[in-house]
Amino acid sequence: MNTNNTSLKNQIYTSILNDIILGNYPPEQVINEKGLMERFNVSRAPIREALIELCNEKILYSIPYYGYKITPLTDEDVANTKSYRCVLECGFMTENWRKFTPEALDKLETLHTSILSSKEESDAITHWNSNITFHLAFFEIYGNQYAYQHLRSAMSLQTRAYAQTRWSEWHSRLFHDVPAFHGPILEAIRNNDMDTALRLLRADIISI
C-alpha cells in the first residue's frame, strides 16, 4: 500500500469531515470529486478513497453520476441523542460520584471560568464547541475511555444535525447561553448534592 497516498487520503477525509461538522456545506449541496480535486490539488484516487470512507461511515451517501450529499439528520436524531446522553452522563455521574475530588472540581471550574470569559465574543459554533469541551472534560474524570468515545461521537452527531437543520442559526448566536447550567452543576457537586447535580445535568443536556 502506498503510505503517502493513505496519508493524503486521511488528510482529505479529516478536512471534509471538519467542514461537515462546522456546517460549511449548506444543506442540499452536492459534493463532487472534480471540485475536491481542484480544492486539494490532488489526483482522483485519494479523493475517492476519502469519500468512500465517509460513505461507509454513513456521513455521506453517493448519487451515481452526480456526486455525494451529506446524510440528512433530523430533529428526531437530536432528540434520540439527547436521550442517550442523559442516560450515559447521568448514569456515570451516579456511579462515579466519589471521583469528584476537590482537585478535579478545581480543574472544571477553571475551564468553566475560561468559557465564560470568552462568552460575549463568540459565535454559536464556538459556544457549542466550548460546551462539548466542558462535557468531555467532565466525563474524563470517570476514566472510561470506551464510554468517553461514545459520548464524543454522540456530541459530534448532534453537531452535524444542528449544522444541517439550523443552518442560519448555526452561524449566529444560537447557543449564547450554553454554559448557564455548568456553574450550578459544579456548585451542587461541591455541596455533595447529587440529586440537584443530576437534575441540572439532565436539564443542561435537554436544553440545547
Side-chain angles (χ1 to χ4, degrees):
M1 179 181 292
N2 189 323
T3 55
N4 289 334
N5 197 57
T6 300
S7 176
L8 187 56
K9 183 268 291 186
N10 290 338
Q11 292 175 28
I12 295 167
Y13 165 91
T14 300
S15 181
I16 296 172
L17 179 59
N18 285 340
D19 279 343
I20 293 171
I21 289 175
L22 291 175
N24 291 336
Y25 289 111
E28 300 304 313
Q29 178 172 333
V30 175
I31 302 169
N32 59 63
E33 293 179 6
K34 182 179 179 181
L36 292 172
M37 288 168 63
E38 293 173 355
R39 172 185 168 187
F40 293 105
N41 193 28
V42 297
S43 65
R44 187 180 301 272
I47 295 291
R48 180 165 291 177
E49 289 174 8
L51 291 170
I52 289 172
E53 185 168 343
L54 288 164
C55 286
N56 289 339
E57 295 178 0
K58 311 298 182 186
I59 295 170
L60 296 178
Y61 67 95
S62 174
I63 306 173
Y65 308 109
Y66 191 53
Y68 300 81
K69 282 189 176 182
I70 299 170
T71 302
L73 296 169
T74 66
D75 284 339
E76 182 179 2
D77 293 317
V78 174
N80 289 338
T81 303
K82 288 180 180 180
S83 177
Y84 171 73
R85 285 185 55 203
C86 281
V87 173
L88 181 67
E89 294 183 63
C90 292
F92 265 82
M93 175 181 279
T94 302
E95 293 296 320
N96 295 275
W97 185 255
R98 294 185 180 277
K99 292 186 178 180
F100 290 114
T101 63
E103 294 77 17
L105 287 171
D106 285 344
K107 289 181 180 179
L108 288 173
E109 286 178 348
T110 298
L111 175 61
H112 175 58
T113 300
S114 174
I115 291 172
L116 286 178
S117 67
S118 61
K119 179 178 176 182
E120 294 301 326
E121 300 154 9
S122 303
D123 58 14
I125 297 172
T126 303
H127 279 302
W128 175 245
N129 286 337
S130 295
N131 186 52
I132 292 175
T133 299
F134 181 84
H135 278 267
L136 290 178
F138 205 96
F139 205 87
E140 200 169 26
I141 291 171
Y142 308 140
N144 188 316
Q145 279 300 308
Y146 179 80
Y148 176 93
Q149 292 301 329
H150 276 269
L151 174 59
R152 195 158 114 181
S153 296
M155 296 193 83
S156 175
L157 185 147
Q158 208 171 342
T159 306
R160 288 171 48 213
Y162 285 138
Q164 291 177 40
T165 62
R166 303 181 185 181
W167 173 256
S168 60
E169 297 168 299
W170 186 238
H171 292 272
S172 67
R173 303 181 75 85
L174 174 65
F175 301 117
H176 182 78
D177 294 323
V178 158
F181 289 97
H182 296 172
I185 291 170
L186 294 174
E187 182 179 359
I189 297 173
R190 286 276 191 196
N191 294 331
N192 199 32
D193 186 349
M194 184 190 295
D195 289 342
T196 298
L198 287 168
R199 175 176 55 80
L200 290 170
L201 178 59
R202 188 174 292 107
D204 182 35
I205 295 167
I206 293 173
S207 66
I208 303 171

